[in-house]
Amino acid sequence: MSSPLPPFDWDIFCAVVDNFGDIGVTWRLARQLQREGHGKVRLWVDDLASFARICPGLDPAQEAQWVEGIHIQLWYDALPADAVPARVVIEAFACALPAPFIARMAEQSPPPCWINLEYLSAEAWVEDCHGLASPQRVGSQSLDKYFFFPGFTPRTGGLLCERGLIAERDAWQQDKAGLEAWWASLGLPPKREDELRVSLFTYESAALRSLVQHWSQSTTPVTLLLPLGRALEDVLTGAGLADAIPTAQAGDLLQAGSLCIKLLPMTDQAGYDRLLWSCDLNLVRGEDSFVRAQWAGRPFLWHIYPQDDEAHIAKLDDFLDHYLATLPADAAQWLRDASHALNHGQALGELWARWPTHAPHWQQHARAWSQKLLAEGDLVTRLVKFLESRI
């Protein structure tokens, strides 16, 4: 007979979308809440197989298990009979809580604090909606659901950043011997003085073909760290290595002129952070890798999740308005043009030829930006403060 579960302080629900983005954010949130002493956390996930690719300690065959002090529960239509809602229930990214669970929430006295954790956005309207309550009728009861928007300004929910992360990053980046050992663990020599090392984790984009072609023909040696995924075909085609696509596998080291491509397996989140910290430039996508690239304090390009009506381009510009505000005008315009080219699938090679001119400003700015983002506190700090008057 299994032991009864303890009462939980947090229930977090996540529907896995696009494999890693939503679960990447919620897994980081769950671990930070637990590690920083904010109570017991239960994480409900509807796709354990995808989750296991970024959480090696997870067994997808087990519907319920403890991983790193967090209770992981497979989320499907039928709820466990003994599932009592926690004090705080987080509906990540409008994933829609199961109706039976909401009914159990309404039976609690007092009822849980219900949070809809929204997608990260730099749009101006989120400041007005952040923290607002939406009354939900459940039988004869009324429950308030609060909207919590991650964002880039003091009037939003901030960004996820674990306590001590920036100090850990700084120590990693300053440890030359440690970096050389880490590169060696990937089968790479120490980074040369004139070399550019780049990580790339994006969606498909024709822009990648021109960029990779430019790197292969450049006078600057470039090493591209490429986790296996959606960008593989565009990258290898641009490098003139299309014949290698059918047999490409993690560990392969491919050469195309001045470009060396190292294919990497999927890694856990700590491993991905170290990859971002170690590279000179990071191309990232979605939300989770986008935020982690900002904490890396290194130049990055964001491949935002594409939408059919191209609404994502306006969202990209809203972010760039914040990010580029303190850069010199010519560097800011160049970076905006490069970001648009990547997201529109346009040629990037000629734009990238101007990298040496703007790189020093960008490198300095990237580090200052990461410090600015934490001035008003990280997401968990703001979330706990928001809940203090509501629990």
Side-chain angles (χ1 to χ4, degrees), residues 144-218:
D144 283 334
K145 176 165 65 172
Y146 294 94
F147 293 93
F148 198 89
F149 283 87
F152 301 92
T153 71
R155 292 176 56 196
T156 65
L159 304 179
L160 279 174
C161 183
E162 302 88 338
R163 190 181 301 157
L165 180 74
I166 301 304
E168 184 181 351
R169 176 203 71 187
D170 290 345
W172 177 272
Q173 292 176 341
Q174 294 161 15
D175 182 2
K176 183 178 179 181
L179 279 167
E180 290 185 358
W182 186 78
W183 289 123
S185 74
L186 299 180
L188 294 170
K191 181 177 176 293
R192 289 162 47 182
E193 196 68 35
D194 63 340
E195 180 187 359
L196 181 68
R197 291 204 167 167
V198 182
S199 79
L200 193 151
F201 181 63
T202 69
Y203 305 111
E204 303 89 341
S205 174
L208 298 176
R209 300 184 184 186
S210 65
L211 180 60
V212 168
Q213 183 181 33
H214 176 84
W215 283 337
S216 68
Q217 298 169 353
S218 172

Side-chain angles (χ1 to χ4, degrees), residues 137-312:
R137 200 70 188 168
V138 185
S140 61
Q141 302 292 320
S142 179
L143 299 179
D144 283 334
K145 176 165 65 172
Y146 294 94
F147 293 93
F148 198 89
F149 283 87
F152 301 92
T153 71
R155 292 176 56 196
T156 65
L159 304 179
L160 279 174
C161 183
E162 302 88 338
R163 190 181 301 157
L165 180 74
I166 301 304
E168 184 181 351
R169 176 203 71 187
D170 290 345
W172 177 272
Q173 292 176 341
Q174 294 161 15
D175 182 2
K176 183 178 179 181
L179 279 167
E180 290 185 358
W182 186 78
W183 289 123
S185 74
L186 299 180
L188 294 170
K191 181 177 176 293
R192 289 162 47 182
E193 196 68 35
D194 63 340
E195 180 187 359
L196 181 68
R197 291 204 167 167
V198 182
S199 79
L200 193 151
F201 181 63
T202 69
Y203 305 111
E204 303 89 341
S205 174
L208 298 176
R209 300 184 184 186
S210 65
L211 180 60
V212 168
Q213 183 181 33
H214 176 84
W215 283 337
S216 68
Q217 298 169 353
S218 172
T219 57
T220 299
V222 179
T223 298
L224 179 62
L225 288 301
L226 181 66
L228 293 177
R230 296 173 58 166
L232 177 69
E233 185 171 333
D234 283 326
V235 168
L236 295 190
T237 300
L241 299 170
D243 290 347
I245 293 172
T247 58
Q249 59 184 345
D252 286 354
L253 188 65
L254 308 173
Q255 192 75 38
S258 298
L259 175 66
C260 174
I261 302 173
K262 179 67 178 182
L263 301 184
L264 302 178
M266 286 297 296
T267 184
D268 61 13
Q269 291 182 321
Y272 185 63
D273 281 337
R274 291 191 288 270
L275 175 63
L276 296 173
W277 297 347
S278 304
C279 289
D280 304 296
L281 169 70
N282 298 299
L283 278 71
V284 294
R285 76 187 200 197
E287 179 168 331
D288 185 54
S289 58
F290 168 51
V291 171
R292 304 314 281 193
Q294 292 174 70
W295 298 138
R298 295 286 169 85
F300 72 93
L301 287 174
W302 181 29
H303 196 186
I304 189 172
Y305 186 81
Q307 296 174 285
D308 292 336
D309 58 359
E310 292 211 336
H312 61 295

Side-chain angles (χ1 to χ4, degrees), residues 79 91 96-107 114 136 138 143:
L79 291 174
E91 179 182 271
L97 299 182
F101 195 85
I102 297 174
R104 294 184 193 181
M105 290 166 59
E107 295 169 358
W114 184 359
Q136 307 289 310
V138 185
L143 299 179

